[in-house]
Amino acid sequence: MHAVDVAIHGRGAVASSLALALNQQGLRVAVSAPDPANAARTDVRAYALNRASRRLLQQLKVWEALPADAVTAVHDMDVRGDGGAHLGFSSWGQCVDALAWIVDAPALDAALQQALQFAPLVQHLALIPDAPLRVFADGKDSVSRASLPVRWERHAYGHTAIAARLASQEPHANVAHQWFRAPDVLALLPFDRPAAGRSFALVWSLPRHEAERLMQLDTAAFEGELNHAAVGGPPGLRLTSERATWPLALASAVPVCGAGWVLIGDAAHVVHPLAGQGLNLGLGDVQALADTLRQREAWRALGDERLLHRYARERAWPVWAMSRLTDALVHGFASNNNWLRELRNRGMGLVDRAAPVKRWLATQALEG
């Protein structure tokens, strides 16, 4: 007899969220123990969470445990092209309280770990035991994935993301800023750490060689380049943290499940961060898998392959659509071709004037 019902390989937000969700169903869960080495690392990441992700974290009793300054609502989005084009979204136009919520990554991880301490059916283990269902949620560089009959299809963009925390001379006013142009994509996400009301989380995607050049600059020189790139955005941006980088790619696992096992989160799919949907996709996996297991027939085993294929079918379209959308945006704004540049900027302008289209796009992003 197995000591646990579900074994989760992984220790990040997706793995922890699934462990909490399955604990609520009365399932015995083993999840990878936190890595002590991570405690000493400075994490400058921030997540842009949609309404669906927020709803899941509320169900898990995690959202309310987040510190007030670790969550910042996005009320407006200001998107610019590279030819004067502009696209704006507002929570007022959508009749919602926020378009997204920017969440401090370390604070979310801490809140999840704290919640797990009060989950009586969850065990943190260094060595994950065998179980009727094994879930692999150990990220895009998953080592355990290699032991499965899975083909990992990865297409490198040749770009690198730079992340950091910033402060501005003026209040962020809960506005997110984004610039789409050839060859970079720059995002400034409103944040309240370390300076309440005046901070931003930076995600800057650039060709690898350009990112390497920027990372070699001292603080003052980097700030100068950043402020030049963020023309029309918040003034006087300055670094308040170290800078972090990671390579960007589009990747997916085929298949995502089999008899007794399933892949979720970045272990199953990786998208470009320009739309801020990476963790949202992972938490969407958590919700779908938890629902699938809860709704299974009483006689069906947790690791039943047909049961897991129900989950895979439910997630196939959302993951494929977001992968294709982000990939199309990357390639659409990567070219300096004059006619393509004119086309994409005209398209952005047309969408900005088409209220029904804007509402539909915003709704899709909000609800995942």
Side-chain angles (χ1 to χ4, degrees), residues 66-77:
L66 290 166
D69 66 343
V71 180
T72 305
V74 176
H75 294 156
D76 298 277
M77 291 188 64

Side-chain angles (χ1 to χ4, degrees), residues 25-45:
Q25 295 184 27
L27 295 173
R28 298 166 302 169
V29 180
V31 64
S32 299
D35 184 355
N38 287 335
R41 297 174 186 167
T42 300
D43 191 347
V44 300
R45 295 174 302 152

Side-chain angles (χ1 to χ4, degrees), residues 256-310:
V256 297
C257 67
W261 62 269
V262 63
L263 298 166
I264 66 173
D266 284 355
H269 43 70
V270 176
V271 299
H272 196 286
L274 61 84
Q277 293 299 313
L279 182 56
N280 289 319
L281 284 177
L283 293 180
D285 293 348
V286 169
Q287 184 72 73
L289 182 57
D291 289 346
T292 299
L293 298 181
R294 186 180 63 252
Q295 296 164 6
R296 75 188 187 281
E297 297 85 351
W299 51 265
R300 195 179 292 276
L302 289 167
D304 186 278
E305 190 167 6
R306 291 190 177 184
L307 175 68
L308 298 176
H309 277 296
R310 294 178 192 172

Side-chain angles (χ1 to χ4, degrees), residues 2 30 88 99 116 132 154 183 225 231 305:
H2 294 285
L99 295 174
L116 284 170
R154 184 179 184 276
E225 297 258 5
V231 59
E305 190 167 6

Side-chain angles (χ1 to χ4, degrees), residues 250 252 269 271 281 312 314-328:
L250 177 70
S252 61
H269 43 70
V271 299
L281 284 177
E314 181 177 345
R315 293 303 293 159
W317 166 251
V319 171
W320 182 89
M322 185 55 65
S323 298
R324 299 284 74 79
L325 172 62
T326 55
D327 191 53

